[in-house]
Every structure is written in C-alpha cells, then in structure tokens.
Amino acid sequence: MSEDAFDAIIVGGGLAGLTAGYVMAQAGLMVLLVEKGNYSGSKNVTGGRLYGHSLEKVIPEFAEVAPLERKITKEKLSVCRNGQIETQEYPASSVTDPSGYSYSVLRAKFDKWYADECEQTGVELICGVRVDDLLIRDGKACGIVAAGEEMEANVVLLADGVNSLLAQKIGLRDSRPAAADQITVGVKEVIELGEDVVNHRFGFQSGEGVAWMFLGCCTDTQGCDGFLYTNKDTVSLGVTMRVDNIPSLDKTVPQLMEDFKRNPMIASLIEGGKLLEYAAHLIPEGGETMMPKLYGDGVLVLGDAAGLAANLGYTVRGMDLAIESGRLAAEVVIAAIEKERYDSSTLAAYEQALKESFVFPCMREAESSLKNSKAGNYRNSASTLDESMSWILLSGNDANKVNIPDKLGINKFHTDEFNAHVEVDKAYPDKTEMDLLVRACPAALYSVDEKGTLFFDYLGCLECGTCRILSERKVVKSWNYPQGTLGIEYRMG
C-alpha cells in the first residue's frame, strides 16, 4: 500500500456513503468519497420520507439545521376493497423524542447539505467521477479505478446504489441483475403548488405534512400502488410497480403515473400545479433473501447496494436503513484500522452489527410483506375496481396520451451524444422482449415500428435500470451509468 493511501474510499454519495464518511472522518480517518453525480443528491431519488432516528445518532438535533421539507404529522392509508376506497387517517407519532420524528425530504437538497457537513468534518469529496472498477491485489480490494486513475485504500465501501455494478464485479452480488420479483420501479413527479396551497388543501400549518400510501387502488391495474408526500411548497407524487408484474400490463409504466394523476381524489389535490421534475428509481423489496454478501476482503456493501429497503405497505423505509448501515460500517472500519486487519473475518462484524440493529428485523418484515403480496393476501387483493369508481377522468386515446418528451424536457440532462451507456440489440429476434421494454421504460425511450424494428434513445435516460432487470443479455446487451458529470441531474430528487 502506498504512503498516500486512504484509510477508506467510499463509492457513492448517497445517505449510506455520506454517513459512513462522516463517522469515519470524525474518528480521524483519512476518507475519500467519490460520487458520480455533479453533487451528492444529483443522481438520487426518494419518495420520500426520512425517519430521523438513524441520523439523530450521527448528528444530534440535525432537524434544526438540515433542509427538511415538512415534519410528518399525519399518516393516511388508502385501500380499495370491493370497489370502494377505505382511507384510514392517524397521527404520525405520539412520541416526544425527536428521534421518533419523520420528515419529507428532497434528496438533491438534503444530500448536498449532508455532503457539506461531511467535508467540514474532513471527508475528501470528489464529484462528477464514475468509479469503473476496484483494485484487487492478492484477492483483496485495496482501492478503486476512476477516470483512468488508481486510488488506494485499506477498505473500500460500496454505496453505489441499487444497481451496484461494483459489488457484482467483485462477486458479492450475483453476476445477473436482481430477480424481477424482488425489485419495484417507482415513478415520481414533483409538483409545485405553493406553500399556502399545500397548507390549505391538506389542512396543515406550515411545517406540518402527510405521508399518504395508496395500496392497489391508484389505477385500474393490479399490483400498482401509489404515494403522496407533502413538501414545503410542492408534493411528491408517484406510483410503484413490481417489475415482474410489467409483462402482464396492457399499458406503459408512464401511463400508470398518468392514470394516478387522473384519479379524481388526486386530481383535486394537484389541480393548478406545475411539474418541476419527472424521476424514476428502482427499489429493492426482496427483504433479507435479496441481500448480497455484505463483506469481503477489504470491502463492505451499504445502503441500496446491499438491498436495504423495506416496503411494508403502510410505509416504505430505505433512508433510515441506509444511514444505519453507513454508521455501523464506519464503526467496523474504525475498529479494523486500529487492528490493522482488513480481511473478511474482521469485516464480518459489519453483518453481525446489522443483525443486532433494527435493520435485519425490518428486512424480515419486508420479506414477509412481499410474500403476502405475491400470495394475493395484501396489496393485490385490494386492487379490484369497478367502473363506478371512474378512475380515469378523461376518455379516449388522445385524452389519456402521455407526453413524455414534455416531462423529460423539464429535467436537466448533460448529454453524451457520442457514447451510449446502454447498448441494445436492435435485431433481437423476440418481439415480445422488445414490447416488454416499451411498456417498462419510465422515460419511454424504447419503441418498435410496424416492421418490428427496435428504436432506443439513451439521451433521455433516467438511469433507473428497469430495462437491465428485465432484459440484460437479451435486448439489453450492456448497461452502465453515463460517464461522470453526464446524464440526468436531479434538482429535486
């Protein structure tokens, strides 16, 4: 190891990576964090509700200084049974301890703030750089390869998101993408209403907000759920669909979002609103059995890369799990540095720490929730609609047509017109596979003409990876993130 090696290098500037960096830097370690986006948060998307207990352990009273949107003071859960909507409403929390509070957040703002806190603590942050590979010597991870440069470290922490290609390269994840029945694609719009309008329509004072889940009743499509979170002057509105349900769709994923917005209840809440951003993201939902191996010689896997997210139906959790994984990983690395031991047997303490925390029980509950959903005992059983519900306000193909180019035109892209980060086989012989991608892509980048020729435009890619899950090594020949600084730049997240 060279003299200028870091104690730890973190790949990914989301909540898991930032937390790990913050805790290690506080302990005096030399830490490098490499983020592919132009700033932390520019590639991140959440629904999004942050349960504050995990971060409260790292930065006590963080809510006093962090750019939070609203404190969640009310929960709503809408379920459709026998063609009727049943909505339960209840207070979000009865505890007075701030660690029990939760908040709506927009990741572009929040993660940028957190990254600034990390830098002030001593983390060296490099943005706009994609990490392409890991340095492996004698079977041990000892650094990264990024932008043609090698950087060394005693331990590498992979917090590079749900599609973690690095964990796959090093053999901690299966060589194929996650199974479609363990992954959900989420599509989200951030809609500006104004603070006074949000307060009036949802019945709040400034600073108060709602987390509202819709189980099986956001469209006329079985297995499609929805969510709504109030922000300071916007709402985060979206739908989720488990990827293995997409083949049975008779419409596209973008159309599901449009159907949800035409729901009379939703339409009245967002009336007059202005679309600020259109986003998509994959959510790991397989629970404990979906998790990869979390440690190896010189390497740990954190956050979404470790499959740490839990759709429990009544709520979706991911950010608090990511933060906890970052904190626990940091503590294990600090201990390893003290011992000067970075082998897998030493770093295995990370998995044990997760098991002793709230993370593993939460993942087991998520796995049980998924099994119930597949068995039809849960969300799917609540999705029977009748025509009297009139979910689609407008009728006719023209009225329901989704104008994705207009939505993508609102987003900010840094395009690479010469290097496609997704390569497809336009002559793939199975038209069924092509049609599947047409339905699945949240950005509607795939199309097939009357001759059966596939067309694909990567320049509007939201980098969610849905096509990778469905058709890698088939229509999708290769999938990667764009080079650093390029691609989608989320301003809300």
Side-chain angles (χ1 to χ4, degrees):
M1 193 74 66
S2 65
E3 293 183 0
D4 58 351
F6 292 90
D7 291 314
I9 294 178
I10 304 165
V11 183
L15 296 181
L18 291 169
T19 301
Y22 186 93
V23 173
M24 288 189 291
Q26 272 198 324
L29 272 60
M30 292 179 57
V31 180
L32 173 66
L33 191 153
V34 184
E35 161 59 34
K36 63 180 175 289
N38 289 318
Y39 55 85
S40 281
S42 66
K43 297 288 187 180
N44 297 336
V45 178
T46 181
R49 179 183 190 177
L50 170 66
Y51 287 88
H53 64 110
S54 293
L55 192 53
E56 193 71 26
K57 301 172 188 175
V58 180
I59 306 178
E61 300 181 351
F62 75 92
E64 300 298 319
V65 293
L68 304 170
E69 295 297 310
R70 290 175 182 256
K71 184 168 81 171
I72 301 301
T73 57
K74 184 185 296 183
E75 308 246 13
K76 284 191 174 186
L77 178 65
S78 292
V79 180
C80 185
R81 291 191 177 92
N82 301 319
Q84 299 295 321
I85 287 290
E86 297 178 7
T87 298
Q88 296 179 325
E89 181 178 313
Y90 45 94
S93 178
S94 60
V95 300
T96 57
D97 183 355
S99 66
Y101 297 157
S102 63
Y103 308 88
S104 57
V105 297
L106 295 170
R107 292 290 298 275
K109 300 177 184 179
F110 189 84
D111 290 15
K112 185 185 289 186
W113 163 80
Y114 201 179
D116 289 343
E117 295 292 310
C118 287
E119 286 193 290
Q120 293 176 26
T121 307
V123 175
E124 184 174 336
L125 178 63
I126 299 177
C127 292
V129 174
R130 186 184 73 188
V131 176
D132 294 313
D133 213 339
L134 299 179
L135 282 178
I136 307 293
R137 295 186 185 132
D138 299 323
K140 174 189 176 296
C142 56
I144 62 170
V145 180
E149 299 289 332
E150 295 184 354
M151 289 166 269
E152 296 184 346
N154 291 314
V155 182
V156 179
L157 293 84
L158 302 181
D160 51 334
V162 63
N163 288 297
S164 184
L165 302 178
L166 295 175
Q168 183 175 311
K169 279 187 175 183
I170 202 172
L172 297 180
R173 293 181 65 163
D174 191 80
S175 61
R176 298 187 65 85
D181 64 349
Q182 296 181 328
I183 290 282
T184 288
V185 57
V187 178
K188 169 187 166 182
E189 294 186 7
V190 179
I191 300 171
E192 182 180 43
L193 295 172
E195 185 173 358
D196 290 342
V197 174
V198 173
N199 289 342
H200 175 72
R201 289 188 181 172
F202 293 91
F204 291 124
Q205 300 293 321
S206 292
E208 301 174 339
V210 65
W212 194 344
M213 305 299 294
F214 298 81
L215 302 187
C217 55
C218 59
T219 78
D220 61 349
T221 299
Q222 186 172 355
C224 183
D225 301 330
F227 60 85
L228 185 154
Y229 300 97
T230 49
N231 304 316
K232 181 178 180 181
D233 55 5
T234 65
V235 294
S236 294
L237 182 73
V239 297
T240 62
M241 166 67 83
R242 211 173 64 225
V243 174
D244 68 321
N245 284 329
I246 292 176
S248 63
L249 284 179
D250 61 357
K251 60 184 69 177
T252 66
V253 167
Q255 184 66 60
L256 295 177
M257 182 68 202
E258 206 64 21
D259 288 357
F260 188 29
K261 291 168 63 180
R262 297 174 195 275
N263 172 326
M265 181 191 302
I266 298 300
S268 66
L269 293 173
I270 63 174
E271 182 180 1
K274 176 184 177 183
L275 178 64
L276 297 184
E277 189 165 83
Y278 179 72
H281 184 66
L282 290 183
I283 308 163
E285 290 193 355
E288 185 180 355
T289 58
M290 181 188 177
M291 295 169 63
K293 187 176 181 182
L294 299 173
Y295 60 91
D297 289 329
V299 62
L300 297 173
V301 187
L302 291 61
D304 266 9
L308 299 183
N311 185 348
L312 306 177
Y314 58 88
T315 188
V316 178
R317 297 174 61 175
M319 289 185 281
D320 60 328
L321 278 68
I323 291 168
E324 188 76 355
S325 73
R327 181 181 70 84
L328 295 176
E331 291 177 352
V332 168
V333 173
I334 292 167
I337 295 290
E338 291 175 352
K339 300 174 184 176
E340 297 186 357
R341 289 186 56 189
Y342 316 111
D343 57 284
S344 62
S345 61
T346 299
L347 299 183
Y350 167 57
E351 181 175 299
Q352 185 59 36
L354 286 174
K355 289 180 177 179
E356 294 172 359
S357 73
F358 72 91
V359 173
F360 262 66
C362 187
M363 294 299 289
R364 293 184 186 114
E365 185 178 356
E367 187 171 332
S368 175
S369 172
L370 178 65
K371 289 178 180 177
N372 283 330
S373 175
K374 289 180 180 179
N377 299 326
Y378 186 38
R379 283 170 278 178
N380 290 352
S381 65
S383 63
T384 302
L385 302 175
D386 61 26
E387 294 179 1
S388 66
M389 296 305 294
S390 302
W391 291 110
I392 309 304
L393 288 179
L394 305 175
S395 61
N397 292 333
D398 291 339
N400 285 332
K401 187 175 181 180
V402 184
N403 196 330
I404 290 297
D406 283 355
K407 293 186 179 185
L408 296 179
I410 293 169
N411 289 350
K412 184 175 182 179
F413 290 93
H414 302 278
T415 58
D416 184 348
E417 297 183 1
F418 304 102
N419 301 292
H421 63 284
V422 180
E423 184 181 2
V424 302
D425 182 357
K426 295 183 179 180
Y428 193 78
D430 188 347
K431 187 176 181 297
T432 302
E433 287 289 332
M434 294 182 181
D435 290 340
L436 183 58
L437 297 181
V438 172
R439 291 196 297 276
C441 180
L445 301 181
Y446 292 86
S447 61
V448 180
D449 68 11
E450 62 278 1
K451 297 180 181 179
T453 303
L454 177 69
F455 292 90
F456 172 66
D457 181 6
Y458 67 91
L459 294 178
C461 183
L462 299 174
E463 302 170 28
C464 63
T466 305
C467 61
R468 173 176 176 260
I469 296 295
L470 282 171
S471 195
E472 187 174 58
R473 304 179 187 176
K474 298 177 188 175
V475 177
V476 179
K477 296 167 67 176
S478 66
W479 190 98
N480 202 344
Y481 292 103
Q483 289 287 346
T485 78
L486 300 176
I488 181 69
E489 180 179 308
Y490 288 117
R491 293 164 291 179
M492 300 291 165

